[in-house]
Amino acid sequence: MLSKELLLKAYRLMMTARAMAEIYDANRQVCKYVHSTSRGHEAIQLATGFLLKPCDFVSPYYRDESLMLGMGYRPYELMLQLLAKADDPFTGGREYYNHPNIRRDGFPTIIHQSSATGMQTIPTTGIAQGVQYREKQKLSDYPIPPVTICSLGDGSVTEGEVGEAFQFAVLKKLPIIYLVQDNDWGISVSSDEARTMDAYEFAAGFKGMERVRVNGSDFTDSYNTMEYTIEWVRKHRHPILVHAKVPLLGHHTSGVRKEWYRTAQDLAKHGIDDPGPKLRKVLLGIEGITEADLDQVEEEQKIYAQGEFDAAVAAPEPDPATTSDHVYVPTPITEERGDRSPAGREKVVMVDAALHAVEEILQDHPEALFYGQDVGRRLGGVFREAATLADKFGDNRVFNMAIQEAYIVGSTVGMNAVGLKPIVEVQFADYIYPGLNQLVTEISKSCYLSCGKFPISMILRVPIGAYGGGGPYHSGSVESTLATIKGIKIAYPSNAADLKGLIKAAYYDGNPVVMLEHKGLYWSKNPGTEDAKTIEPARDYVLPLGKGAVVLEASREAVDNGESICIITYGMGVYWAKNAAKQYPGKVDIIDIRTIYPLDEELIYNTVRKHGKCIVLTEEQLRNSFCEALAGRIAQNCFKSLDAPVQTIGSLDLPAVPMNMGLEAVMLPNADKVAAKIGDLLGW
């Protein structure tokens, strides 16, 4: 039997949650932003909240306000987010109700929470992965072994990324609890419409996943089950799924009201399992507790919740001047530093410069680790870009992943939460798309929506580009897709020195950086790409993101006579441009932008203004591309200096790169095509 004090505390907070829901519904014009409440889920959520310790991690989902109350948060704090107020301690008015993130002494840590249903399972599993890594590498000696709880609704378990998280958790035996709250509804989709099994049955397919069922509307059963489960994971460090059956008493959200799609019979059936009356009945069986006592509790909580709401309504709105704050954290790497071309060294190919950069990072930083498909001990990457790393640093720091691009990308969120800095890899640019959900929904928004509390420091390495018959699924370019994602940085180096310097800068940057590495430049095997080999920079060399380079400069005479042009490009385009320019000695400036975002617009615009004629060159298909957008910006900013329309060169607008090398050559730009465009602009 649980103590009277604990049961009364739970009842008091259930009445708080009920009063909050009633206040929100009675003030719909004030509570204008979409929100959900925990009505029906209070028992399992409060039990969980009571049992968590400050060393733990939890990812609530959007219906978990009672979980927050159970951990000790005031209704006022939650209501500040409900009303999108400036003092919202989680997101400063930027996120929906009960989308918390926080680092607060004496409370469990909560990473940024998105609204994308089920997506939190991968970042949260990444937390457990990071905790395990710190334990194995002896980076932390936890007095109390932390547990991680990922809360989600049963409807979200059908998401494929939930399966990726479950698979990794059982494979690595991670200390995580998946708390699945099953109320039989996914908006208007009932459970029998959407799935043939519930989460408990689904979890049986993941060998090593412990499972337990609990009546989530019964506080005593919920508390006892969660107490056992949490202590079991603290001791055994294995994953477990808790399937909690709960009623849904409120609306799906304030914008999708229950009466729109649920029958009176369904609502009555759910009402039978209201946790409040159930707990009230238990309390009335305890000597010394009367109906009047519990009525008083209910009345007190109505008054308390109303006061909290009134205070939240009166709180200030966010300052519009803060709208653009916290997109990125400031980077410490703002200037090129270190020895770029140490004396006495031979030139290296790009793939070796990248390998050495990662090796030096792993040597200098125990919090760094590297994982991806086939990067482990046996192969060291399909391009040998990780060769020998697992031998040198062990299988815990450099390891293979399953074919799970979403998990590879999204797990970096959780790893960051425990102070780790992952370098990860997607094997080919063509296969980055399964990881875009996590890159867009979780990683790119985390710093902004957490007001800088949870920036994601990670490097995502992506071999990219076409050469030598790689075919339609190993030759693609994706920079325009990535450039539409705000909150990430994108580098695209064209030579060994730049690649090493940018990898080092990206590691220290503090923000998510996608490193696009052209496969055709890795070994300088393609004719005309010998300059991609450079002297390898020293260990201390860093090249800041956002700094372009002049790789070829026209003569002063040609510029003065109006007989010069500039080419703005990157990656393989640098070599097409350099080889084309040989036909026009002294007539061509070439700018290698080196990073797509941040972009060195000052260098670009100044160069264009100097020449008045410009070509923007890319390997990508042109239509709606990054380069077309850049050409438009150049036209806007340099219009008065232009002697001709800004020209663009790219691949043909085909859905994919064809396998046959003759067809591939027709699709792609080359030096001859660039030279012809230069001649047109110069009037030759």
Side-chain angles (χ1 to χ4, degrees):
M1 181 66 180
L2 302 180
S3 71
K4 179 173 74 172
E5 292 74 21
L6 179 62
L7 294 171
L8 279 171
K9 179 183 178 183
Y11 188 74
R12 182 174 295 278
L13 288 175
M14 282 186 191
M15 295 306 101
T16 306
R18 178 192 290 182
M20 291 164 66
E22 291 172 351
I23 290 168
Y24 302 163
D25 217 31
N27 292 272
R28 290 171 62 182
Q29 294 303 312
V30 177
C31 304
K32 57 189 175 183
Y33 302 111
V34 67
H35 58 271
S36 298
T37 72
S38 59
R39 289 291 288 119
H41 295 230
E42 299 98 329
I44 187 65
Q45 291 181 18
L46 290 171
T48 304
F50 290 166
L51 288 160
L52 288 170
K53 298 183 183 298
C55 64
D56 295 329
F57 300 84
V58 60
S59 285
Y61 86 118
Y62 57 82
R63 201 174 294 284
D64 277 351
E65 67 182 358
S66 285
L67 178 60
M68 300 297 290
L69 294 173
M71 285 189 285
Y73 288 92
R74 281 178 57 188
Y76 172 71
E77 295 178 288
L78 305 184
M79 292 167 175
L80 288 172
Q81 188 170 52
L82 170 82
L83 302 172
K85 295 290 188 168
D87 294 333
D88 158 24
F90 310 118
T91 66
R94 296 176 175 185
E95 261 279 32
Y96 309 99
Y97 184 52
N98 207 72
H99 286 61
N101 63 81
I102 202 156
R103 297 182 189 269
R104 179 182 287 182
D105 289 344
F107 288 75
T109 298
I110 305 173
I111 61 173
H112 158 251
Q113 301 299 307
S114 76
S115 281
T117 314
M119 296 302 100
Q120 75 272 29
T121 51
I122 286 178
T124 311
T125 304
I127 297 173
Q129 179 188 353
V131 167
Q132 183 190 74
Y133 179 83
R134 296 193 74 91
E135 290 174 337
K136 285 187 174 183
Q137 295 295 119
K138 302 190 185 310
L139 298 179
S140 296
D141 183 14
Y142 297 112
I144 300 173
V147 301
T148 300
I149 292 186
C150 180
S151 177
L152 60 162
D154 195 69
S156 68
V157 175
T158 54
E159 284 278 7
E161 292 181 25
V162 174
E164 288 196 21
F166 285 5
Q167 170 65 28
F168 192 84
V170 295
L171 177 68
K172 298 295 185 179
K173 299 180 173 62
L174 300 181
I176 187 167
I177 299 166
Y178 298 103
L179 172 58
V180 181
Q181 300 173 57
D182 184 359
N183 62 29
D184 277 331
W185 287 99
I187 310 184
S188 67
V189 180
S190 61
S191 57
D192 58 344
E193 286 182 282
R195 49 196 184 274
T196 61
M197 65 190 83
D198 63 25
Y200 180 88
E201 295 162 329
F202 179 65
F206 295 89
K207 184 178 179 180
M209 180 79 79
E210 298 293 328
R211 301 173 297 151
V212 63
R213 290 191 188 273
V214 60
N215 182 348
S217 67
D218 183 299
F219 179 76
T220 299
D221 190 18
S222 295
Y223 190 91
N224 288 335
T225 300
M226 292 308 298
E227 183 177 44
Y228 168 81
T229 300
I230 290 171
E231 290 309 310
W232 189 90
V233 175
R234 287 202 203 284
K235 179 179 179 181
H236 294 286
R237 316 306 280 154
H238 284 190
I240 188 167
L241 181 140
V242 178
H243 178 258
K245 195 68 178 174
V246 292
L248 179 60
L249 302 182
H251 309 290
H252 169 69
T253 67
S254 57
V256 183
R257 303 184 67 77
K258 59 188 178 184
E259 60 268 18
W260 295 353
Y261 62 92
R262 296 174 66 185
T263 65
Q265 292 82 358
D266 176 70
L267 292 169
K269 181 184 73 172
H270 280 248
I272 293 170
D273 285 318
D274 188 335
K278 283 188 173 184
L279 182 53
R280 185 183 180 99
K281 184 177 180 180
V282 172
L283 284 164
L284 289 173
I286 297 175
E287 185 177 353
I289 297 180
T290 66
E291 292 273 9
D293 294 331
L294 299 182
D295 288 345
Q296 183 179 350
V297 168
E298 185 172 347
E299 187 60 30
E300 287 172 351
Q301 295 315 107
K302 286 181 180 179
I303 295 169
Y304 171 58
Q306 186 64 54
E308 296 281 273
F309 182 73
D310 292 343
V313 170
E317 297 289 325
D319 181 351
T322 66
T323 301
S324 297
D325 291 353
H326 305 298
V327 177
Y328 302 99
V329 292
T331 176
I333 309 299
T334 58
E335 299 294 335
E336 187 172 6
R337 298 198 306 262
D339 193 344
R340 182 178 172 93
S341 300
R345 290 196 182 182
E346 295 184 357
K347 290 184 177 182
V348 297
V349 293
M350 283 183 70
V351 73
D352 285 345
L355 172 65
H356 298 158
V358 174
E359 180 175 349
E360 290 168 4
I361 288 169
L362 293 172
Q363 288 171 346
D364 294 342
H365 300 283
E367 71 277 10
L369 65 163
F370 181 40
Y371 54 96
Q373 293 162 12
D374 295 304
V375 303
R377 188 184 300 269
R378 293 187 191 91
L379 185 61
V382 294
F383 300 102
R384 306 295 287 155
E385 72 281 7
T388 75
L389 290 180
D391 291 325
K392 293 175 180 177
F393 298 101
D395 296 331
N396 286 328
R397 293 193 71 190
V398 180
F399 54 90
N400 287 332
M401 287 291 300
I403 302 172
Q404 294 182 326
E405 287 84 3
Y407 190 88
I408 291 169
V409 174
S411 60
T412 64
V413 176
M415 301 291 269
N416 267 259
V418 296
L420 301 176
K421 299 186 72 170
I423 303 168
V424 297
E425 181 177 309
V426 169
Q427 200 164 75
F428 291 91
D430 308 78
Y431 301 128
I432 198 173
Y433 296 102
L436 286 187
N437 238 353
Q438 292 292 322
L439 194 63
V440 174
T441 303
E442 309 298 334
I443 289 174
S444 72
K445 295 175 173 60
S446 184
C447 186
Y448 182 69
L449 293 180
S450 70
C451 294
K453 294 191 294 297
F454 289 96
I456 309 304
S457 181
M458 58 87 84
I459 303 174
L460 173 57
R461 296 182 64 187
V462 183
I464 192 170
Y467 77 104
Y473 290 98
H474 296 80
S475 307
S477 295
V478 298
E479 57 264 35
S480 291
T481 300
L482 294 170
T484 65
I485 305 170
K486 314 312 178 216
I488 66 170
K489 298 184 178 183
I490 308 163
Y492 201 146
S494 67
N495 61 68
D498 287 353
L499 178 53
K500 185 173 185 182
L502 286 168
I503 286 177
K504 290 289 188 77
Y507 182 80
Y508 297 115
D509 189 275
N511 297 289
V513 180
V514 180
M515 190 69 55
L516 301 176
E517 305 174 16
H518 200 292
K519 306 188 302 290
L521 300 178
Y522 261 157
W523 296 286
S524 291
K525 289 182 177 179
N526 281 14
T529 63
E530 294 79 8
D531 287 349
K533 293 192 290 187
T534 69
I535 300 295
E536 182 176 348
R539 189 186 199 95
D540 64 347
Y541 179 68
V542 289
L543 178 62
L545 283 78
K547 300 290 185 183
V550 180
V551 297
L552 185 68
E553 195 163 10
S555 70
R556 185 73 259 172
E557 180 183 5
V559 174
D560 290 344
N561 292 337
E563 299 174 343
S564 66
I565 70 161
C566 64
I567 301 176
I568 313 299
T569 189
Y570 56 93
M572 186 64 81
V574 171
Y575 300 96
W576 293 327
K578 288 174 73 171
N579 286 299
K582 292 176 182 177
Q583 300 182 36
Y584 305 93
K587 307 292 186 182
V588 181
D589 262 18
I590 299 173
I591 301 298
D592 180 356
I593 63 174
R594 301 200 286 205
T595 60
I596 287 171
Y597 193 86
L599 182 64
D600 194 345
E601 294 188 3
E602 181 180 6
L603 175 62
I604 292 169
Y605 298 154
N606 286 342
T607 304
V608 172
R609 290 179 184 121
K610 181 173 78 171
H611 298 281
K613 295 179 283 292
C614 173
I615 296 170
V616 182
L617 169 62
T618 181
E619 183 174 320
E620 273 197 301
Q621 296 92 327
L622 268 181
R623 186 176 300 162
N624 302 320
S625 66
F626 160 72
C627 274
E628 280 199 338
L630 177 56
R633 275 193 309 236
I634 291 170
Q636 289 179 28
N637 286 276
C638 305
F639 179 75
K640 293 181 180 179
S641 302
L642 290 173
D643 299 325
V646 179
Q647 301 296 302
T648 55
I649 304 176
S651 291
L652 299 181
D653 285 322
L654 306 179
V657 180
M659 176 74 77
N660 179 274
M661 291 172 67
L663 299 178
E664 178 189 70
V666 172
M667 178 186 181
L668 297 176
N670 58 36
D672 289 339
K673 294 176 184 179
V674 176
K677 184 72 76 171
I678 295 172
D680 288 343
L681 269 179
L682 291 177
W684 289 27

